[in-house]
Amino acid sequence: MKILNTEKEDYHVHSLNYSDGLSTIDEIARFAGEIGMKKIVICDHSQAALDHNKYMKKSYRGIAARWKNVFNDVEILFGVEADLLNEKGDVCMHIGGVEGDFIILSYHAGVYTGDKTRVTEGFINAMNRYSKQINIIGHVCLDLGEVQAKKVILEANKHKIPLELNAKYFFKYPDIWDVLLKNADRIYVNSDAHTLYELKEFRKKVFDRLKKEGYLKT
Ligand SMILES: [Zn+2]
Ligand SMILES: [Zn+2]
């Protein structure tokens, strides 16, 4: 098992501009520099999730391309936390018609609700169809339980797709991640931050714990 990112990189941060984060892209970029980070992927919820949650309509996503980080040298990328839509593996990977440059595929009950076996089938079909576009599989340990999560993890390994160790849920539900740490070939540790506090604290706590448990060299 290899952890692909360092503490200075976070690939899953939500913003106020495009979904349910509480800070703007400007605030996130500036703060990331202040805490010594080097790379942030603004990975907001897909249009399917925005519609399901009835979030108010935000600025046209295409203008994100015009945004420039004028504060520091933190690299900012615009991704989408794509949604699994059914067991066939259909995926919504856009916001307002604009696809992300980085895709995390997640399951959010409500956007699509299936039993664990069907959701697993959906993830496997999605990976077979979109392995080139999917950069990370999101918080499956949270959604699927050990038995089904393991199936998704092994399929992701086959496609060389990394999986997410989601720092937010790592602390809420500490016992569900063993299946990931034991079986995944490639892991990203992401905060899934919706606030600046989460961006700073959650990821750091997970990295500290991984070091303590011998998963990372100190
Ligand atoms: Zn959210
Ligand atoms: Zn999510």
Side-chain angles (χ1 to χ4, degrees):
M1 186 275 285
K2 193 169 173 3
I3 302 215
L4 298 179
N5 60 327
T6 72
E7 287 181 64
K8 294 180 190 301
E9 302 162 357
D10 198 312
Y11 290 76
H12 188 175
V13 177
H14 292 275
S15 80
L16 180 64
N17 298 79
Y18 295 112
S19 70
D20 60 347
L22 292 172
S23 310
T24 64
I25 294 160
D26 260 12
E27 287 163 342
I28 293 165
R30 187 192 282 244
F31 183 76
E34 284 169 15
I35 61 172
M37 296 193 69
K38 291 286 170 224
K39 185 171 182 178
I40 295 280
V41 180
I42 306 288
C43 211
D44 276 308
H45 292 288
S46 77
Q47 194 62 48
L50 299 177
D51 291 344
H52 170 76
N53 292 308
K54 299 189 170 55
Y55 291 139
M56 63 177 170
K57 204 166 174 343
K58 312 236 173 172
S59 321
Y60 170 57
R61 170 67 180 225
I63 65 168
R66 276 193 237 149
W67 181 87
K68 289 276 175 289
N69 181 0
V70 294
F71 306 108
N72 48 46
D73 61 355
V74 179
E75 182 187 358
I76 306 283
L77 280 181
F78 290 93
V80 171
E81 185 179 12
D83 275 87
L84 185 66
L85 297 178
N86 51 43
E87 50 273 17
K88 288 185 294 179
D90 287 332
V91 171
C92 177
M93 51 179 94
H94 72 91
I95 298 172
V98 179
E99 286 195 2
D101 295 328
F102 192 93
I103 299 293
I104 298 180
L105 176 61
S106 296
Y107 165 75
H108 297 107
V111 179
Y112 151 55
T113 304
D115 64 35
K116 290 184 167 66
T117 324
R118 297 218 130 187
V119 174
T120 301
E121 197 184 316
F123 269 113
I124 291 172
N125 287 332
M127 283 188 268
N128 280 311
R129 291 170 61 186
Y130 303 113
S131 66
K132 287 200 170 64
Q133 279 140 289
I134 300 167
N135 296 96
I136 299 178
I137 297 291
H139 36 64
V140 283
C141 295
L142 172 75
D143 310 307
L144 294 182
E146 197 178 327
V147 174
Q148 299 300 327
K150 188 172 171 182
K151 290 184 190 165
V152 175
I153 292 165
L154 296 181
E155 182 75 15
N157 288 347
K158 237 168 69 186
H159 293 281
K160 299 187 166 54
I161 300 174
L163 292 113
E164 175 178 83
L165 202 171
N166 186 294
K168 187 167 72 180
Y169 295 117
F170 190 78
F171 282 93
K172 241 177 168 174
Y173 310 104
D175 303 327
I176 60 175
W177 303 96
D178 271 9
V179 62
L180 182 73
L181 290 165
K182 291 202 177 106
N183 294 288
D185 288 345
R186 299 164 188 81
I187 290 178
Y188 278 97
V189 177
N190 290 327
S191 66
D192 195 358
H194 291 65
T195 65
L196 298 179
Y197 173 82
E198 292 168 339
L199 179 62
K200 183 175 182 194
E201 296 300 327
F202 282 12
R203 206 189 49 264
K204 184 180 179 319
K205 282 186 187 169
V206 174
F207 273 106
D208 287 350
R209 188 157 142 191
L210 291 173
K211 279 178 204 159
K212 214 170 110 191
E213 291 176 10
Y215 287 107
L216 280 171
K217 290 192 191 93
T218 44

